[in-house]
Amino acid sequence: MGRDLDKELETLEKITNMQKDLLGGIYGDFFSAGSSASSGSSLSGSTNTGDGVKKPAEVSSAAPEEKKDAVADANEALEEAKALFAKDGNVNTPKEEEVKEPEEDPMETLDKLVGLSTIKADVKELTAFVKVQKARQEQGLKSVPVSLHLVFTGNPGTGKTTVARIIAQIYKQIGVLSKGQLVEVDRSGLVAGYVGQTAIKTQEQIAKAKGGVLFIDEAYSLAQKDDAFGQEAIDTILKAMEDNRDDFVVIVAGYTDPMKKFIDSNPGLKSRFNKYIEFPDYNIDELEEIFNRNCKKYDYKVEEDVQHQIRALITAKKIENIDNFANAREVRNLFEEIITNQARRVATLENPTSEDMMSIKLEDLADTVDKPEDAPADEPAQIDEAASPETDTATDDTGSEA
């Protein structure tokens, strides 16, 4: 690019010199350093040829206004030439830098998440170790090789994607990644339908993630029995991890048992993924806090007599789906159902106030519970509040991530 710019500047200089020579030939000594020196040149002594052409000496005495017009024309020509080069993208013109709001420190973002006490401790411990090893290396000391690649295990909706994004930002902050972006994919984003195309499709995702983190959700789906396509994706990823070890991180995620089998199924995976972070399920208090944060985020208010019913709904959903509970996703879905019911109710009001549009009432919970078969259609079934299970769990903040 530097050579192209030098060449373009050289071209502009030639244009300028040509215009100077041309104008100098017409107006004599106008562009020379001293008018007296030019007036003594051979051109000033020229005579009329008899064909109506003025002598240069006569032209050089042209009116000042004519000289000014000539300079203006020359400058205009130069500006037009510059504009043409810029239009073709051959000249880099300085652009005003966009003023961006300062980003929040990723560690502060991590600390603000609901729960996640064990996860926060794991991430901080990992970050401190990586940071010190990098500092030792920069000072010429021996550093312990550390794998930045991670395995996230746990049920859906436990904050895995959110934490992966924060880790990408932390790695950038401490200088082990150049960009810190997160590229999230699953099997469908890596595997193609024909032999040979999977490697290309996987390489495209890897290219997007270079300088940051490639987050593969449900990664165990790549290691199915007799699955040549999935194995092709795994081989491509392993090669990229080896070729780009200084600026590329892979985080694989999924259910606990399938993920352990996935890592153990391939020696290459086992040697590169040796750090596991387990994401436990939410407890009821944390799930309720996630619901309340969603309400606060989108300007909704839950009336006091409704709050305990929402907690009861969350508890009932967790008990009913004890083996397949989606944690924060379940809470997010519940929130969306309730505000949809609320919107349907508010739409029937003639002139709803801001308070009307913010308030969540008991009747907005009607369609979020299963009614007994003999219950009247216009009466919501009542749910008794269940006790919170005693679990040491922690997870996501707003329920918007996996």
Side-chain angles (χ1 to χ4, degrees), residues 20 22-32 38 41 43 56-57 59-60:
K20 286 182 178 180
L22 177 63
L23 292 172
I26 299 175
Y27 293 101
D29 60 348
F30 185 81
F31 284 101
S32 61
S38 296
S41 65
L43 288 174
V59 176
S60 63

Side-chain angles (χ1 to χ4, degrees), residues 106-127:
M107 278 298 184
E108 292 181 12
T109 305
L110 181 67
D111 286 334
K112 289 180 181 179
L113 300 181
V114 173
L116 287 171
S117 56
T118 58
I119 309 301
K120 292 172 183 176
D122 284 344
V123 171
K124 290 177 181 179
E125 183 180 272
L126 173 65
T127 301

Side-chain angles (χ1 to χ4, degrees), residues 129-161:
F129 182 77
V130 172
K131 188 175 182 179
V132 170
Q133 294 305 314
K134 187 175 188 302
R136 286 174 58 88
Q137 189 176 24
E138 290 173 350
Q139 293 184 24
L141 301 174
K142 292 182 179 179
S143 60
V144 178
V146 55
S147 175
L148 302 176
H149 312 295
L150 301 169
V151 181
F152 286 179
T153 60
N155 291 326
T158 49
K160 295 187 290 293
T161 308

Side-chain angles (χ1 to χ4, degrees), residues 93-101:
T93 54
K95 296 181 180 179
E96 293 185 6
E97 294 185 1
E98 295 181 3
V99 178
K100 296 182 178 179
E101 293 294 327

Side-chain angles (χ1 to χ4, degrees), residues 4-291:
D4 293 340
L5 183 58
D6 291 340
K7 187 175 181 180
E8 290 152 9
L9 291 174
E10 183 181 349
T11 303
L12 287 174
E13 186 177 357
K14 287 181 180 179
I15 293 174
T16 305
N17 292 335
M18 288 173 61
Q19 290 173 326
K20 286 182 178 180
D21 292 340
L22 177 63
L23 292 172
I26 299 175
Y27 293 101
D29 60 348
F30 185 81
F31 284 101
S32 61
S35 59
S36 58
S38 296
S39 61
S41 65
S42 60
L43 288 174
S44 61
S46 300
T47 59
N48 196 317
T49 60
D51 56 0
V53 178
K54 293 183 180 181
K55 294 181 293 183
E58 295 174 347
V59 176
S60 63
S61 61
E65 289 79 13
E66 293 180 8
K67 293 182 179 181
K68 290 180 180 178
D69 290 342
V71 174
D73 290 343
N75 289 333
E76 184 178 348
L78 279 174
E79 292 302 321
E80 289 178 358
K82 290 177 182 178
L84 286 173
F85 279 114
K87 186 177 181 181
D88 290 338
N90 294 326
V91 174
N92 288 328
T93 54
K95 296 181 180 179
E96 293 185 6
E97 294 185 1
E98 295 181 3
V99 178
K100 296 182 178 179
E101 293 294 327
E103 295 182 359
E104 184 179 52
D105 184 276
M107 278 298 184
E108 292 181 12
T109 305
L110 181 67
D111 286 334
K112 289 180 181 179
L113 300 181
V114 173
L116 287 171
S117 56
T118 58
I119 309 301
K120 292 172 183 176
D122 284 344
V123 171
K124 290 177 181 179
E125 183 180 272
L126 173 65
T127 301
F129 182 77
V130 172
K131 188 175 182 179
V132 170
Q133 294 305 314
K134 187 175 188 302
R136 286 174 58 88
Q137 189 176 24
E138 290 173 350
Q139 293 184 24
L141 301 174
K142 292 182 179 179
S143 60
V144 178
V146 55
S147 175
L148 302 176
H149 312 295
L150 301 169
V151 181
F152 286 179
T153 60
N155 291 326
T158 49
K160 295 187 290 293
T161 308
T162 299
V163 174
R165 183 173 291 110
I166 292 172
I167 286 177
Q169 295 167 353
I170 291 173
Y171 279 173
K172 179 190 176 183
Q173 186 182 64
I174 64 179
V176 297
L177 288 177
S178 59
K179 298 178 182 177
Q181 79 279 19
L182 182 82
V183 176
E184 182 182 359
V185 296
D186 55 14
R187 177 185 171 87
S188 64
L190 301 171
V191 174
Y194 301 96
V195 176
Q197 290 185 335
T198 291
I200 297 173
K201 191 172 183 180
T202 302
Q203 287 167 355
E204 289 174 352
Q205 298 298 337
I206 291 170
K208 293 178 185 177
K210 282 182 181 179
V213 172
L214 180 66
F215 180 81
I216 308 174
D217 197 17
E218 298 181 349
Y220 50 79
S221 64
L222 296 173
Q224 301 173 13
K225 186 178 180 181
D226 299 326
D227 181 11
F229 296 145
Q231 187 59 49
E232 186 180 0
I234 292 173
D235 293 342
T236 304
I237 292 167
L238 289 175
K239 186 177 186 304
M241 292 168 69
E242 182 65 26
D243 295 344
N244 305 279
R245 62 176 63 186
D246 295 330
D247 200 22
F248 177 60
V249 171
V250 178
I251 298 178
V252 291
Y255 289 103
T256 303
D257 290 339
M259 285 303 298
K260 288 181 178 178
K261 292 178 181 177
F262 167 66
I263 299 298
D264 291 339
S265 69
N266 188 308
L269 292 171
K270 196 169 184 179
S271 65
R272 288 172 176 81
F273 292 97
N274 52 28
K275 177 65 176 176
Y276 288 72
I277 297 181
E278 175 71 25
F279 286 72
D281 289 336
Y282 288 100
N283 62 36
I284 299 301
D285 289 339
E286 291 162 347
L287 293 168
E288 186 178 11
E289 175 64 18
I290 290 170
F291 184 92

